[in-house]
PDB file of all heavy atoms in Angstrom:
ATOM      1  N   PHE K  11      55.655  49.492 154.022  1.00 42.00           N
ATOM      2  CA  PHE K  11      56.767  49.953 154.852  1.00 42.00           C
ATOM      3  C   PHE K  11      58.071  50.010 154.039  1.00 42.00           C
ATOM      4  O   PHE K  11      58.839  50.973 154.120  1.00 42.00           O
ATOM      5  CB  PHE K  11      56.929  49.020 156.057  1.00 42.00           C
ATOM      6  CG  PHE K  11      58.083  49.395 156.955  1.00 42.00           C
ATOM      7  CD1 PHE K  11      57.988  50.458 157.847  1.00 42.00           C
ATOM      8  CD2 PHE K  11      59.285  48.699 156.892  1.00 42.00           C
ATOM      9  CE1 PHE K  11      59.056  50.809 158.653  1.00 42.00           C
ATOM     10  CE2 PHE K  11      60.347  49.053 157.698  1.00 42.00           C
ATOM     11  CZ  PHE K  11      60.230  50.099 158.589  1.00 42.00           C
ATOM     12  N   SER K  19      64.966  56.908 151.732  1.00 44.00           N
ATOM     13  CA  SER K  19      66.407  56.774 151.469  1.00 44.00           C
ATOM     14  C   SER K  19      66.794  57.547 150.215  1.00 44.00           C
ATOM     15  O   SER K  19      67.810  58.241 150.170  1.00 44.00           O
ATOM     16  CB  SER K  19      66.788  55.293 151.288  1.00 44.00           C
ATOM     17  OG  SER K  19      66.517  54.580 152.469  1.00 44.00           O
ATOM     18  N   ALA K  28      70.630  68.419 145.836  1.00 39.00           N
ATOM     19  CA  ALA K  28      69.654  69.498 145.639  1.00 39.00           C
ATOM     20  C   ALA K  28      70.114  70.770 146.335  1.00 39.00           C
ATOM     21  O   ALA K  28      69.996  71.868 145.803  1.00 39.00           O
ATOM     22  CB  ALA K  28      68.283  69.067 146.163  1.00 39.00           C
ATOM     23  N   PHE K  44      77.009  91.334 135.687  1.00 97.00           N
ATOM     24  CA  PHE K  44      76.388  90.872 136.931  1.00 97.00           C
ATOM     25  C   PHE K  44      75.279  91.820 137.391  1.00 97.00           C
ATOM     26  O   PHE K  44      74.272  91.391 137.951  1.00 97.00           O
ATOM     27  CB  PHE K  44      77.459  90.756 138.023  1.00 97.00           C
ATOM     28  CG  PHE K  44      76.944  90.341 139.367  1.00 97.00           C
ATOM     29  CD1 PHE K  44      76.728  89.004 139.672  1.00 97.00           C
ATOM     30  CD2 PHE K  44      76.666  91.291 140.349  1.00 97.00           C
ATOM     31  CE1 PHE K  44      76.253  88.614 140.916  1.00 97.00           C
ATOM     32  CE2 PHE K  44      76.185  90.922 141.592  1.00 97.00           C
ATOM     33  CZ  PHE K  44      75.971  89.567 141.877  1.00 97.00           C
ATOM     34  N   ALA K 123      79.058 108.051 143.510  1.00 97.00           N
ATOM     35  CA  ALA K 123      78.230 108.210 142.309  1.00 97.00           C
ATOM     36  C   ALA K 123      77.392 106.957 142.055  1.00 97.00           C
ATOM     37  O   ALA K 123      76.206 107.046 141.704  1.00 97.00           O
ATOM     38  CB  ALA K 123      79.116 108.496 141.096  1.00 97.00           C
ATOM     39  N   CYS K 134      82.864  97.580 146.333  1.00 98.00           N
ATOM     40  CA  CYS K 134      84.109  98.326 146.132  1.00 98.00           C
ATOM     41  C   CYS K 134      85.116  97.476 145.366  1.00 98.00           C
ATOM     42  O   CYS K 134      85.931  98.004 144.612  1.00 98.00           O
ATOM     43  CB  CYS K 134      84.692  98.738 147.484  1.00 98.00           C
ATOM     44  SG  CYS K 134      83.633  99.864 148.419  1.00 98.00           S
ATOM     45  N   LEU K 175     102.856  89.398 147.524  1.00 89.00           N
ATOM     46  CA  LEU K 175     103.199  90.475 146.601  1.00 89.00           C
ATOM     47  C   LEU K 175     104.719  90.591 146.467  1.00 89.00           C
ATOM     48  O   LEU K 175     105.403  90.928 147.420  1.00 89.00           O
ATOM     49  CB  LEU K 175     102.626  91.796 147.124  1.00 89.00           C
ATOM     50  CG  LEU K 175     102.413  92.917 146.121  1.00 89.00           C
ATOM     51  CD1 LEU K 175     101.389  92.517 145.061  1.00 89.00           C
ATOM     52  CD2 LEU K 175     101.948  94.167 146.848  1.00 89.00           C
ATOM     53  N   HIS K 178     110.143  94.829 144.285  1.00 84.00           N
ATOM     54  CA  HIS K 178     110.856  95.186 143.057  1.00 84.00           C
ATOM     55  C   HIS K 178     112.293  94.686 143.047  1.00 84.00           C
ATOM     56  O   HIS K 178     112.957  94.704 142.011  1.00 84.00           O
ATOM     57  CB  HIS K 178     110.830  96.708 142.861  1.00 84.00           C
ATOM     58  CG  HIS K 178     111.506  97.469 143.960  1.00 84.00           C
ATOM     59  ND1 HIS K 178     112.809  97.860 143.892  1.00 84.00           N
ATOM     60  CD2 HIS K 178     111.034  97.901 145.167  1.00 84.00           C
ATOM     61  CE1 HIS K 178     113.136  98.509 145.002  1.00 84.00           C
ATOM     62  NE2 HIS K 178     112.074  98.547 145.789  1.00 84.00           N
ATOM     63  N   VAL K 208     103.959 103.111 132.093  1.00 94.00           N
ATOM     64  CA  VAL K 208     103.415 104.408 132.492  1.00 94.00           C
ATOM     65  C   VAL K 208     103.742 104.676 133.961  1.00 94.00           C
ATOM     66  O   VAL K 208     104.180 103.796 134.691  1.00 94.00           O
ATOM     67  CB  VAL K 208     101.881 104.462 132.283  1.00 94.00           C
ATOM     68  CG1 VAL K 208     101.542 104.407 130.804  1.00 94.00           C
ATOM     69  CG2 VAL K 208     101.190 103.319 133.030  1.00 94.00           C
ATOM     70  N   HIS K 212     109.472 106.467 142.618  1.00 91.00           N
ATOM     71  CA  HIS K 212     110.081 107.363 143.604  1.00 91.00           C
ATOM     72  C   HIS K 212     111.554 107.018 143.778  1.00 91.00           C
ATOM     73  O   HIS K 212     111.940 105.856 143.725  1.00 91.00           O
ATOM     74  CB  HIS K 212     109.353 107.256 144.947  1.00 91.00           C
ATOM     75  CG  HIS K 212     109.628 108.402 145.867  1.00 91.00           C
ATOM     76  ND1 HIS K 212     110.812 108.548 146.558  1.00 91.00           N
ATOM     77  CD2 HIS K 212     108.872 109.492 146.207  1.00 91.00           C
ATOM     78  CE1 HIS K 212     110.772 109.650 147.287  1.00 91.00           C
ATOM     79  NE2 HIS K 212     109.610 110.247 147.095  1.00 91.00           N
ATOM     80  N   ARG K 219     120.673 101.910 143.130  1.00 95.00           N
ATOM     81  CA  ARG K 219     121.323 101.648 141.843  1.00 95.00           C
ATOM     82  C   ARG K 219     122.207 102.815 141.403  1.00 95.00           C
ATOM     83  O   ARG K 219     122.894 102.729 140.389  1.00 95.00           O
ATOM     84  CB  ARG K 219     120.274 101.362 140.758  1.00 95.00           C
ATOM     85  CG  ARG K 219     119.369 100.192 141.057  1.00 95.00           C
ATOM     86  CD  ARG K 219     118.585  99.763 139.842  1.00 95.00           C
ATOM     87  NE  ARG K 219     119.440  99.088 138.859  1.00 95.00           N
ATOM     88  CZ  ARG K 219     119.068  98.798 137.619  1.00 95.00           C
ATOM     89  NH1 ARG K 219     117.854  99.164 137.184  1.00 95.00           N
ATOM     90  NH2 ARG K 219     119.894  98.174 136.789  1.00 95.00           N
ATOM     91  N   ASP K 225     125.115 101.427 139.308  1.00 96.00           N
ATOM     92  CA  ASP K 225     124.979 100.047 138.863  1.00 96.00           C
ATOM     93  C   ASP K 225     125.513  99.933 137.432  1.00 96.00           C
ATOM     94  O   ASP K 225     125.017 100.610 136.519  1.00 96.00           O
ATOM     95  CB  ASP K 225     123.501  99.651 138.914  1.00 96.00           C
ATOM     96  CG  ASP K 225     123.246  98.191 138.559  1.00 96.00           C
ATOM     97  OD1 ASP K 225     124.110  97.568 137.914  1.00 96.00           O
ATOM     98  OD2 ASP K 225     122.174  97.677 138.922  1.00 96.00           O
ATOM     99  N   TYR K 252     110.903 111.909 141.762  1.00 91.00           N
ATOM    100  CA  TYR K 252     110.507 110.762 140.955  1.00 91.00           C
ATOM    101  C   TYR K 252     111.264 110.733 139.632  1.00 91.00           C
ATOM    102  O   TYR K 252     111.763 111.754 139.164  1.00 91.00           O
ATOM    103  CB  TYR K 252     109.016 110.832 140.617  1.00 91.00           C
ATOM    104  CG  TYR K 252     108.072 110.723 141.794  1.00 91.00           C
ATOM    105  CD1 TYR K 252     107.632 111.866 142.458  1.00 91.00           C
ATOM    106  CD2 TYR K 252     107.610 109.479 142.219  1.00 91.00           C
ATOM    107  CE1 TYR K 252     106.748 111.775 143.536  1.00 91.00           C
ATOM    108  CE2 TYR K 252     106.725 109.380 143.288  1.00 91.00           C
ATOM    109  CZ  TYR K 252     106.305 110.525 143.938  1.00 91.00           C
ATOM    110  OH  TYR K 252     105.436 110.432 144.999  1.00 91.00           O
ATOM    111  N   ASN K 255     108.919 106.300 134.446  1.00 91.00           N
ATOM    112  CA  ASN K 255     109.268 104.938 134.042  1.00 91.00           C
ATOM    113  C   ASN K 255     109.673 104.870 132.577  1.00 91.00           C
ATOM    114  O   ASN K 255     110.525 104.070 132.202  1.00 91.00           O
ATOM    115  CB  ASN K 255     108.088 103.997 134.289  1.00 91.00           C
ATOM    116  CG  ASN K 255     107.820 103.780 135.766  1.00 91.00           C
ATOM    117  OD1 ASN K 255     108.695 103.995 136.603  1.00 91.00           O
ATOM    118  ND2 ASN K 255     106.610 103.361 136.091  1.00 91.00           N
ATOM    119  N   VAL K 280     113.860  94.591 139.058  1.00 95.00           N
ATOM    120  CA  VAL K 280     112.979  93.631 138.398  1.00 95.00           C
ATOM    121  C   VAL K 280     112.883  93.920 136.899  1.00 95.00           C
ATOM    122  O   VAL K 280     112.761  92.995 136.085  1.00 95.00           O
ATOM    123  CB  VAL K 280     111.573  93.615 139.048  1.00 95.00           C
ATOM    124  CG1 VAL K 280     110.791  94.880 138.745  1.00 95.00           C
ATOM    125  CG2 VAL K 280     110.786  92.385 138.629  1.00 95.00           C
ATOM    126  N   PRO K 292     112.857  86.065 126.041  1.00 98.00           N
ATOM    127  CA  PRO K 292     112.214  85.850 124.731  1.00 98.00           C
ATOM    128  C   PRO K 292     110.870  86.565 124.594  1.00 98.00           C
ATOM    129  O   PRO K 292     110.549  87.087 123.520  1.00 98.00           O
ATOM    130  CB  PRO K 292     112.040  84.323 124.680  1.00 98.00           C
ATOM    131  CG  PRO K 292     113.066  83.781 125.609  1.00 98.00           C
ATOM    132  CD  PRO K 292     113.189  84.792 126.701  1.00 98.00           C
ATOM    133  N   VAL K 294     110.017  89.308 126.347  1.00 98.00           N
ATOM    134  CA  VAL K 294     110.324  90.735 126.325  1.00 98.00           C
ATOM    135  C   VAL K 294     110.620  91.172 124.890  1.00 98.00           C
ATOM    136  O   VAL K 294     110.108  92.189 124.403  1.00 98.00           O
ATOM    137  CB  VAL K 294     111.517  91.063 127.241  1.00 98.00           C
ATOM    138  CG1 VAL K 294     111.984  92.515 127.031  1.00 98.00           C
ATOM    139  CG2 VAL K 294     111.148  90.848 128.706  1.00 98.00           C
ATOM    140  N   SER K 316      92.235  89.583 137.914  1.00 98.00           N
ATOM    141  CA  SER K 316      90.978  90.173 138.387  1.00 98.00           C
ATOM    142  C   SER K 316      90.014  89.137 138.947  1.00 98.00           C
ATOM    143  O   SER K 316      89.071  89.483 139.657  1.00 98.00           O
ATOM    144  CB  SER K 316      90.291  90.937 137.250  1.00 98.00           C
ATOM    145  OG  SER K 316      89.672  90.060 136.326  1.00 98.00           O
ATOM    146  N   ASN K 319      90.355  84.339 143.297  1.00 96.00           N
ATOM    147  CA  ASN K 319      89.738  83.965 144.576  1.00 96.00           C
ATOM    148  C   ASN K 319      88.764  85.025 145.122  1.00 96.00           C
ATOM    149  O   ASN K 319      88.870  85.459 146.268  1.00 96.00           O
ATOM    150  CB  ASN K 319      90.853  83.719 145.606  1.00 96.00           C
ATOM    151  CG  ASN K 319      90.349  83.029 146.859  1.00 96.00           C
ATOM    152  OD1 ASN K 319      89.390  82.258 146.813  1.00 96.00           O
ATOM    153  ND2 ASN K 319      90.973  83.308 147.983  1.00 96.00           N
TER     154      ASN K 319
END
Side-chain angles (χ1 to χ4, degrees):
F11 178 77
S19 298
F44 178 83
C134 297
L175 202 63
H178 62 94
V208 293
H212 197 285
R219 302 193 72 191
D225 184 340
Y252 295 91
N255 291 339
V280 71
V294 170
S316 76
N319 193 30

